[in-house]
Amino acid sequence: MTNTALLDASGVAKSFGAVRALTDARLTVAEGEIVALMGANGAGKSTFVKIITGALKPDAGHVLIRGKPAPVGSPAEARRSGLVPVYQEPSLIPDLDVADNLRLTSTPSDPFRHWVSELGITDLALSDMICDLPLATLRILDLARALAAEPDVLLLDEMTAALPTDLVDRVLKTVRGKANDGMGVIYVSHRFTEISDLCDRATVLRDGQTVGDLDIEDGVEDRVVELMLGQKLDLGQRAMARTTFPQGQTPRLRVRTLAAEPKFSDVSFDLYPGEVLGVVALEGQGQDELFDVLAGFEKPSAGRVEVDGKPVSFTHPADAIAAGLTFVPGNRADALLSQRSVKENIALPFSARPANWGPLNRRHERARVGYAIEKLQIDTRAQGEVQRLSGGNQQKVTIGRWLATGVETLLLFDPTRGIDVRTKRQIYPLVRELAEQGAAILFYTSELEEVPLACDRAVVIFNGRVVDVIDGAEADEQTLMRAAYGLTAAEGAA
Amino acid sequence: MSAQNTDTPLTRFGRYLRDNPIIPLLVFLFLMIALLEVLRPGIVMPIRAGRDGLISSFWVGNLIKFAIPLAMLAACQVLTMLTAGIDLSVGVVATVSAFVCATLSAVWGVAPAVFVALAAALAVGVVNGIGVGLVRVHPLIMTLGTGLIATGCLQVYQRLVINAGTHIPEFLAWLGTGRTAGMPNGLIVFVPFALFILWLMRYTGFGRLLFALGSNEHAAKLSGVRAWQVYLALYVLSSLIAALAGLLYLGMIRQTSLSLANPLLLPSVAAAVIGGTSIFGGRGSYAGAIVGALILRVLDTMLTLLQMPEGARTALFGLIILAVTALYVRITGTR
């Protein structure tokens, strides 16, 4: 080890408008060291990574590589200065072959080929088109290309996601070997098992700050989880755990061994009328695709879904809606007609079927839209165009659409993402109230502290499988966080 | 959001015009007519040329008469553009229906001829709808393709009926050329037609879905809209409108040709765009397109009056359409 760290980032701050993404982020990597960078959703991890790799300019603080200020604004220059990132999404151009992609980044092909075979891919030709290769191979190619550039510091962002186990082992072994030769590694990951196998230290981010720097040893997981949680903003009353849980009743929605390979492979749960069932999952564990399947946007590859005891299969969201399954997607822009009025947005499902293409039933429409607006307290001062509303009000419009039609089963995907605290506090009681009126609600949220506020129970999805079911009564954040990181025994299903 | 508070009066005025696009268009139309009167005193106001009458009902009637087929074809473009589509087959479909009607009337009589003419249009519409809605071919390509196919079929058909002669049904000639109280009889068809389109866009579920599909097809799907059903109905409707316009045009021109209504295609697109319909979907107005069609007719008259050579006229026509559209977009902030 030398005195100067390979990478030294300290005091890094960055704001986007009024949102302070980072306030005081620190990270050091010494020669031969593998450092895990951890943090819950929204802790500022992605922003920090972008600043380290030179894709973003920090408002304050500095990033030094081998003691010299890292160039900012250009990832290509950061690459030349010795830091090479490998991102979760392959950064290869699909319509070119492998050789052309190497030429674009002026990567020498001999070391590249060496690392490709070292990493366990034996049947690659440089003339293969990128778009013909499977995702796992692309990730390996990305890594091999990074290694061929002989970096001082290698940044791996969720490197092992979408890789089969044998390749994961190869990757970890190769990275360890390079670290032993003196390369520094930043390892961004959610997976404790890999981190404890591979890493020397873990740096934990929370609310834009580095809150801890821990050596990896036995029991470090608990300490990391504690650091990631910290003190949270009070978001309101905790949901009362239901004692009169409807045992023996037919579930509104029964999901059995549902799979949509390769995104999720074994999801089973029951959702009862009058219940809010939380879905706890880190980003990218297959929950996006699970909701898409249940909403009729995608077809499952295996398993079955029953609504009120009857098996269903959806080829279009219209089928799901006919079965009472209505979907509020995570991205508001997907759900809204941004140039149209609040009324038209909420009333859209009324006209969906050809039988309703004729004259509008304006009295019915006014009554139902009025009901939804009042129920959700939508601020309608700018109702002429939905795009002129605030984010929170836009989100209310997407939910209001289904309030107006009448809710049977509501699939809420991260309904509070990016909206203000006041609106959030309105949404939890609303969800509870709908359930009390007999609706069944599946509620995914990327913010764990919301689960005890809204849910009766929660299923935990890790790596495409339901690994645990947590009762609302015992769902404190510690338990949820541990479960989300796959730290509980992987047994049981709802 | 607090965006309203920071708006300058100019942007607020722009937004008002965007919400009521018909106002600047009408102003522009009357300016054009005034310019025409200045260029050739007496054409619109005979009294200035020492003749009788304040406003020439002959001139106004003529303007309206020739704008009607154009405005009907513009309806096809407005409706399809609302879904971010376009229908480039309408010119050919209008021609086909006129040609089929004129030739079959001579053989089978008028009613079967009109029926077959509409059926031919229906066939094109169904193919367009299936191509756009189910196969998901881009509307521009799809309707261009079916338009060419229909042109080819028309040429084959012409060889089959070459000796049969043609007959223009009397009621079409009456609608196309006749006048009642100075106004063209075509209005008897056009006024109810325009009211129907305005009503369809504003007060029906189908109209809502056209706007929805053009604004955000994913959101429409999420709400349970099966887009292919809407596209199929839309392109069938568009073709039937085109066929109707073709029949009216036949009565007006009282001649058949293999390219009768084809020259109306691009002006119909221009009328829709000048009328404030966005080619990117989700925004459009049929009232605007009607005024757009009138503007194009006045423009045409003006260029004819100036007695320019044909080439210069066509080029100037294109240039003015671009200028008008650019100006309009600048004022209202639409695209």
Side-chain angles (χ1 to χ4, degrees):
Chain A
M1 296 237 182
T2 53
N3 296 339
T4 355
L6 281 182
L7 178 111
D8 177 15
S10 64
V12 175
K14 178 83 189 168
S15 299
F16 299 99
V19 181
R20 288 155 62 98
L22 290 177
T23 48
D24 178 20
R26 280 178 288 116
L27 177 69
T28 57
V29 182
E31 238 172 61
E33 200 180 26
I34 305 181
V35 182
L37 178 62
M38 303 193 73
N41 294 327
K45 225 166 29 184
S46 340
T47 311
F48 195 32
V49 165
K50 280 184 194 148
I51 286 174
I52 293 172
T53 55
L56 275 180
K57 191 172 158 30
D59 297 339
H62 63 259
V63 179
L64 303 176
I65 297 176
R66 283 193 184 281
K68 282 194 288 262
V72 281
S74 154
E77 278 180 50
R79 194 179 277 269
R80 270 194 295 278
S81 74
L83 187 137
V84 178
V86 179
Y87 291 114
Q88 209 167 344
E89 294 300 321
S91 54
L92 296 156
I93 295 170
D95 294 329
L96 295 179
D97 64 14
V98 176
D100 285 340
N101 267 285
L102 293 181
R103 230 165 273 140
L104 277 180
T105 46
S106 24
T107 309
S109 74
D110 284 338
F112 172 78
R113 264 193 280 209
H114 163 76
W115 288 116
V116 168
S117 62
E118 190 84 348
L119 287 164
I121 304 277
T122 48
D123 54 350
L124 182 86
L126 287 182
S127 58
D128 285 344
M129 293 299 289
I130 294 298
C131 53
D132 297 335
L133 297 171
L135 180 62
T137 306
L138 296 187
R139 310 220 55 196
I140 295 297
L141 296 190
D142 246 356
L143 177 58
R145 187 170 64 168
L147 289 171
E150 294 289 333
D152 291 333
V153 181
L154 181 66
L155 186 144
L156 300 177
D157 185 4
E158 294 289 349
M159 180 62 216
T160 53
L163 285 191
T165 334
D166 53 328
L167 282 182
V168 171
D169 292 343
R170 286 274 200 160
V171 166
L172 297 185
K173 205 167 124 256
T174 308
V175 169
R176 184 76 257 176
K178 280 293 280 182
N180 290 342
D181 296 343
M183 183 180 74
V185 180
I186 304 167
Y187 195 77
V188 182
S189 176
H190 286 315
R191 302 183 179 200
F192 273 111
T193 40
E194 285 166 17
I195 288 170
S196 49
D197 282 355
L198 181 70
C199 300
D200 303 306
R201 269 192 307 128
T203 293
V204 182
L205 278 181
R206 184 183 74 229
D207 298 336
Q209 281 182 33
T210 296
V211 289
D213 213 352
L214 309 164
D215 287 327
I216 300 291
E217 56 199 12
D218 281 350
V220 73
E221 292 93 339
D222 287 329
R223 185 81 192 99
V224 169
V225 166
E226 239 168 70
L227 282 172
M228 285 195 290
L229 286 176
Q231 282 296 315
K232 290 284 181 177
L233 200 60
D234 178 27
L235 286 170
Q237 281 281 304
R238 192 187 166 84
M240 296 298 288
R242 292 178 66 99
T243 43
T244 55
F245 189 67
Q247 293 296 340
Q249 209 179 325
T250 315
R252 170 67 56 69
L253 180 65
R254 165 171 283 173
V255 174
R256 282 293 173 274
T257 60
L258 194 66
E261 298 290 358
K263 295 301 190 171
F264 66 94
S265 49
D266 180 11
V267 171
S268 301
F269 61 83
D270 288 334
L271 172 61
Y272 291 91
E275 183 185 33
V276 182
L277 180 65
V279 173
V280 170
L282 302 169
E283 254 166 68
Q285 304 300 314
Q287 67 272 35
D288 304 58
E289 292 77 14
L290 171 65
F291 275 72
D292 279 349
V293 166
L294 292 177
F297 276 96
E298 276 177 40
K299 296 212 81 171
S301 57
R304 65 203 158 84
V305 178
E306 289 173 18
V307 174
D308 291 326
K310 284 187 278 297
V312 290
S313 113
F314 307 139
T315 54
H316 189 278
D319 299 329
I321 292 168
L325 269 65
T326 48
F327 179 39
V328 175
N331 187 358
R332 285 190 291 279
D334 284 347
L336 291 173
L337 314 172
S338 57
Q339 310 168 338
R340 310 304 301 174
S341 66
V342 169
K343 182 178 75 177
E344 275 190 57
N345 269 279
I346 292 180
L348 183 54
F350 294 150
S351 312
R353 289 169 45 239
N356 299 331
W357 285 1
L360 297 169
N361 184 343
R362 289 159 71 75
R363 185 180 305 167
H364 172 253
E365 180 179 292
R366 208 175 308 128
R368 299 307 300 172
V369 171
Y371 165 78
I373 287 176
E374 189 181 338
K375 193 92 203 163
L376 285 161
Q377 298 165 25
I378 300 173
D379 181 349
T380 53
R381 270 175 305 177
Q383 60 178 314
E385 277 186 27
V386 156
Q387 63 191 0
R388 297 184 203 163
L389 296 180
S390 70
N393 277 305
Q394 288 184 7
Q395 185 68 62
K396 287 177 178 177
V397 171
T398 66
I399 300 174
R401 180 179 287 163
W402 301 123
L403 285 193
T405 54
V407 180
E408 286 180 40
T409 312
L410 191 58
L411 309 169
L412 286 174
F413 192 92
D414 218 359
T416 56
R417 180 192 294 171
I419 63 179
D420 56 293
V421 178
R422 206 172 64 90
T423 309
K424 282 183 183 179
R425 283 196 187 131
Q426 288 172 330
I427 285 181
Y428 315 128
L430 177 84
V431 167
R432 296 298 330 165
E433 190 188 328
L434 288 174
E436 269 149 39
Q437 290 164 1
I441 296 169
L442 192 65
F443 183 93
Y444 164 73
T445 170
S446 56
E447 294 178 36
L448 289 178
E449 70 265 29
E450 293 183 349
V451 172
L453 299 175
C455 304
D456 300 301
R457 293 185 300 151
V459 290
V460 181
I461 300 181
F462 186 73
N463 216 356
R465 294 165 187 281
V466 169
V467 293
D468 203 356
V469 180
I470 296 173
D471 207 59
E474 60 188 58
D476 62 80
E477 268 183 70
Q478 188 96 3
T479 320
L480 290 167
M481 182 76 90
R482 287 182 55 94
Y485 277 84
L487 288 173
T488 39
E491 289 297 323
Chain B
M1 293 224 199
S2 58
Q4 277 99 343
N5 308 336
T6 56
D7 287 350
T8 64
L10 192 69
T11 45
R12 247 180 291 150
F13 182 62
R15 186 173 291 160
Y16 174 76
L17 291 183
R18 190 176 64 182
D19 294 340
N20 303 279
I22 197 79
I23 293 167
L25 283 171
L26 282 173
V27 169
F28 187 73
L29 174 64
F30 286 111
L31 282 176
M32 296 268 296
I33 293 175
L35 183 62
L36 195 63
E37 176 66 24
V38 170
L39 287 175
R40 182 62 62 88
I43 185 168
V44 186
M45 304 172 74
I47 202 161
R48 293 213 324 157
R51 283 182 274 122
D52 272 353
L54 182 63
I55 303 282
S56 161
S57 65
F58 174 78
W59 185 83
V60 174
N62 240 7
L63 169 69
I64 292 173
K65 180 176 117 183
F66 284 103
I68 284 175
L70 183 57
M72 289 179 78
L73 293 184
C76 304
Q77 308 304 350
V78 170
L79 293 175
T80 49
M81 278 182 189
L82 283 181
T83 67
I86 194 166
D87 192 344
L88 295 185
S89 65
V90 290
V92 178
V93 169
T95 305
V96 167
S97 87
F99 195 88
V100 167
C101 177
T103 48
L104 286 187
S105 291
V107 189
W108 292 349
V110 174
V114 169
F115 181 78
V116 174
L118 292 180
L122 183 76
V124 176
V126 168
V127 174
N128 280 339
I130 288 174
V132 172
L134 286 170
V135 193
R136 310 295 326 218
V137 182
H138 191 283
L140 189 91
I141 305 299
M142 190 65 217
T143 57
L144 192 65
T146 51
L148 287 172
I149 293 169
T151 306
C153 291
L154 187 62
Q155 282 166 6
V156 172
Y157 170 81
Q158 185 214 17
R159 287 172 184 273
L160 295 177
V161 296
I162 200 149
N163 293 320
T166 57
H167 167 72
I168 315 292
E170 285 79 25
F171 79 96
L172 288 182
W174 181 80
L175 278 177
T177 50
R179 285 172 182 252
T180 306
M183 286 297 117
N185 291 336
L187 284 177
I188 294 169
V189 173
F190 183 73
V191 170
F193 167 82
L195 291 176
F196 171 74
I197 298 294
L198 291 168
W199 172 78
L200 183 78
M201 283 171 64
R202 239 189 125 153
Y203 297 111
T204 68
F206 184 71
R208 285 273 178 85
L209 294 187
L210 298 182
F211 283 99
L213 285 177
S215 305
N216 187 346
E217 190 172 326
H218 191 272
K221 187 176 181 186
L222 186 91
S223 302
V225 179
R226 292 181 203 264
W228 70 267
Q229 297 174 334
V230 183
Y231 287 128
L232 184 59
L234 169 65
Y235 282 90
V236 166
L237 176 67
S238 175
S239 281
L240 290 179
I241 293 173
L244 195 62
L247 293 181
L248 210 59
Y249 201 56
L250 175 69
M252 190 180 297
I253 305 291
R254 286 185 291 182
Q255 273 177 9
T256 54
S257 102
L258 286 180
S259 59
L260 182 73
N262 295 17
L264 292 182
L265 171 64
L266 294 181
S268 77
V269 177
V273 172
I274 291 175
T277 299
S278 161
I279 59 165
F280 298 106
R283 182 171 275 149
S285 137
Y286 185 51
I290 295 173
V291 181
L294 288 171
I295 289 176
L296 289 178
R297 294 307 316 165
V298 174
L299 195 60
D300 203 38
T301 316
M302 196 182 291
L303 294 179
T304 311
L305 276 183
L306 293 176
Q307 290 179 334
M308 285 191 191
E310 177 67 25
R313 242 173 67 191
T314 311
L316 203 58
F317 191 67
L319 201 66
I320 293 176
I321 287 175
L322 281 181
V324 170
T325 314
L327 188 73
Y328 182 73
V329 164
R330 184 60 55 86
I331 293 175
T332 61
T334 50
R335 250 178 300 142

